Structures are given as C-alpha cells and as structure tokens.
Amino acid sequence: MTEEPGADQPDDLMERVVNLCKRRGFIFPSAEIYGGFRSTYDYGPLGALLLRNVKDAWWRAMVQRRDDVVGLDAAILSAPKIWEASGHLSNFTDPLVDCRSCHERWRADKIEGTCPNCGSTDLTEARAFNLMFKTFAGPVEEDATVAYLRPETAQGMFVNFVNVLQTTRKKPPFGIAQVGKSFRNEITPQNFVFRTREFEQMEMEFFVPPADAPKWFEYWLDERFRWYLDLGIPADKLRLRHHDADELSHYSAATADVEFLFPWGWDELEGIANRTDFDLKAHSAASGEKLEYFDQASGERYVPYVIEPAAGATRTMMAFLLAAYDEDEVGGEKRTVLHLDPRLAPYQVAVLPLSKNETLVPLSRQVLGQLQPICMCDFDVTQSIGKRYRRQDEVGTPFCVTVDFESLEDGAVTVRERDTTEQVRVPIETLAAEIGGRLRR
Ligand code: ATP
C-alpha cells in the first residue's frame, strides 16, 4: 500500500516542505506581521517539539548513554579575550565582494565570479568580513564594554576545561557536550533554515592523549554517521567527505563533514575535526592558566588533543523533514506523510474520539491521561476521522488511537500505524505498555 519512504520525491520538494512548515506550524518567518526580519525564523508548536526531539536524541546518544561525556551550558554573551585567543577575531571571516552593477553583496567563494542577482561579473576585490555579532554589555557603549554573541559553542568547553576536570574527576579520554544557540552574521543567509544568522548547534569536545587522536577521530566519524542513519536518514542521502589539506581550518589536523543530499545538492550537516591542542594551548597562553592534564598514575603531564563533532540542530531538523516527506496513496486517496522516526515526531500519539458525541469524550480523556506521562500526545475532535488521520500523517504522528462506541462496551481502542495504516484493537488496560514498547524499539 505504501511505497519505500521518499522513493520518488517531487522536484519541488523544498517548496512543499517550506509550505508544510508554515501551514502546520513548524516554522514561521520571524516578525511576520512586520513583513519578516532578515532571514530569521520562529519555531511554532510542532517545530519546537521536533527541534527539541532532535536535540534530545543527540543528548541521549552523546551524554546520557555514555559515562565518558558530561554536559555544559555556557554563556552566549562572551568576553572579547576568548575570541582573540581562539583566533576568531582575526580569522573568523568570509570573503565579501560587492557587485558594482546592482550593489548586492555576496560571499565570494559561493558565487564563482558572477553576481547571482544581475549576472554582472564586475565585482570588487574580496575583503575579509568578520562574522561575529558585536554588542555592548552594560549601559555604556565603549571599547571596555564590547562583548560578542558566541559564533560557536565550542569555546565554552575549552575555557571550562579545568573547571570540569576538577569537578567531575574525569580523565582523558572524556568529552564535554553542549547544545545551544550560536550567532553568525552570515553575508547571505539562504535555503530556509539551512543557513541563518541565529541557529542552534550540538557540539562535543572530546579530550584525548595526543597519540590517540587519529584513532578517536575515526571512532567519532563512525559514531556520528550512524546517528543519522539510525534516526532515519536514508543511506543514499548521506555521505562523509574528507577535507583536503588546503581546506582545513587553522586549528585542524583532519576534518570530515557528514553531508546530506539536499534538493540543491550535497551540503554539510556536521563537521568532525581533530582540533589538536590548538585551543587549550591558545587559551593557556592568553590567560596564563595551565590547561593541561596531569596523570597521577604515570606522572605524565600533557595538553590533550581534541576531537570535535560539531553539528547544527536547526539544519539537521530540516534534513530530517526533507528526508521524511512523502506523498503516497492510501485506499485510492492521496496523502502527504512525514515518515519521521517516532523519537523525532512532534507527537507520538494522537487520541481521537470517533465522534464529538458527549459519551465518547470522558473515556477519550481518560485514555489521553494514560498516555501523556509517556509521550507527547495530540487530542483532536474536529472533522471526520479520515481527515484527522490525514492531518496526523502530514505532521508525522506515528500512532493514532481512536476511541469509538464499541470502546464503551469492550474497553478497547483502535491503534492505527502511520506508515502501514494498519489498525489493531488494543485493550485500554494495556495501551500505555503497548505504545511505550513500540516507541522504545
Ligand atoms: P558552513 O561551511 O556551512 O558555513 P561551517 O563549516 O562554518 O559551516 P561549523 O563551524 O563547522 O560550520 O559549524 C558546525 C555546524 O553548525 C555546521 O555543520 C552546521 O550544521 C551548523 N551551522 C554553521 N553555521 C550555520 C548557519 N549559519 N546556520 C545554520 N547552521 C549552521
């Protein structure tokens, strides 16, 4: 009845997903009533749930299921000294060119010498444009109060390295993980939430003895690649791309990107880098604090190397939506369906009383009350049951639980599965255990 998920996705997939996001409350253009605001977006009721589930899935894999990674939530407003030491003040730039004909500005490395707006090749020389957002902390706007919005979460982990060592008694190999907002004054934000000026990252710095860095680099490439597959990105839409030597950042000994096949081609979801001891040494030199590890057993003192898997939460959420989007036919009727993994779907269950009839509502609410402690539920009483199934399919809800008149007699409900549309009768008594079991996989 249903085809392989996403087997023949439409040519205008991007447009359809963007429309779905707006129509169903995943993502809204920010400040829409004022005409929008410079490629910023707000995550609506369903988008907030999906984004949270992406971040939770990452946190479970990177922190909860391990005993060698701990969490951190560092400040977004940060001291210029951090960015001076990390190299961001001098190096975190993109090459900016102006078109002399239409005066649009572009990132030189993305346009191959031709203005995408007017087609002119009369461009200025490229100049370095720093991507950091600068602001002032306090009521006086002067040099002494300059602060930056962090352009990555990583530096929070490096400057807290000793704090974490001392408070957790971890020792290399161990990691510090963080999920949070980062800000980059991108020259050309584009492709919906793929590249925005405000976005969310999921980053982990894994500190290892220097000699073990190549081994751990390979380990994290493998782990991170499998994370996307496990959550439903098809293998033919995912690849690893190793950076050539001339592409490496100033701090990196090796980098590889996890790439997804977006409608416009392969593009980055996550970068995994061997950052060597660059950051700890740089912060040590600039702050005068020793950022190193002393191994009491061997009497050895060293500055660890760092392997960093750095992913984008908002960008990854978009990849999950694109990969999950499908249009198929059920019982001769077309439907739009998101084949999202149940761990990512905004709602895991929708509870649907067959009719608005008063007698069904109390039992339906009782069923809802049993399921709410174990997962996110929607409760929908409006329109025909067929329409309500379609609505849930369209936002990726894996299970619909229908309460009908027979339920009043036999104490059972119908559970309908999204992908197969198969329906089974389940006693209300065992419903929570049944759904819980299916969600855990
Ligand atoms: P790009 O080459 O696309 O500008 P990058 O290589 O500079 O990205 P990193 O600094 O490695 O990106 O950041 C780690 C991750 O953070 C990226 O893989 C991406 O998922 C996410 N990310 C970076 N910049 C943005 C942005 N402007 N909008 C959304 N996500 C971003």
Side-chain angles (χ1 to χ4, degrees), residues 88 92 94 107 109-110 131 151-152 182-184 186 189-190 193-203 228 243 249 251 255 257-258 267-272 275 308-316:
H88 280 79
F92 197 59
D94 276 339
R107 201 173 131 176
D109 58 327
K110 298 279 181 192
L131 298 180
E152 62 175 30
S182 291
F183 301 82
R184 297 181 187 179
E186 299 279 359
Q190 60 190 345
V193 296
F194 177 82
R195 185 180 304 287
T196 47
R197 297 196 172 105
E198 173 180 346
F199 56 97
E200 265 191 287
Q201 291 190 305
M202 311 183 287
E203 297 194 298
Y228 293 94
H243 285 206
S249 313
Y251 53 73
T255 298
D257 291 342
V258 178
D267 224 328
E268 174 181 338
L269 289 179
E270 166 162 359
I272 297 142
R275 293 183 77 126
E308 173 196 72
T314 36
R315 192 179 280 189
T316 297

Side-chain angles (χ1 to χ4, degrees), residues 108-145:
D109 58 327
K110 298 279 181 192
I111 63 166
E112 290 169 4
T114 307
C115 172
N117 187 42
C118 70
S120 166
T121 51
D122 188 9
L123 308 175
T124 59
E125 282 292 302
R127 57 196 185 282
F129 173 74
N130 197 293
L131 298 180
M132 281 201 295
F133 276 100
K134 192 176 180 178
T135 186
F136 299 93
V140 188
E141 294 192 7
E142 59 181 21
D143 284 354
T145 61

Side-chain angles (χ1 to χ4, degrees), residues 74-87:
I76 289 174
L77 271 182
S78 49
K81 284 195 167 144
I82 291 182
W83 308 108
E84 206 178 298
S86 68

Side-chain angles (χ1 to χ4, degrees), residues 275-310:
R275 293 183 77 126
T276 68
D277 53 9
F278 176 87
D279 303 271
L280 288 180
K281 279 196 169 151
H283 285 301
S284 194
S287 67
E289 296 286 330
K290 278 205 172 90
L291 304 181
E292 54 189 26
Y293 176 69
F294 176 63
D295 188 343
Q296 280 180 334
S298 68
E300 203 191 346
R301 188 180 291 282
Y302 63 88
V303 180
Y305 268 37
V306 174
I307 308 302
E308 173 196 72

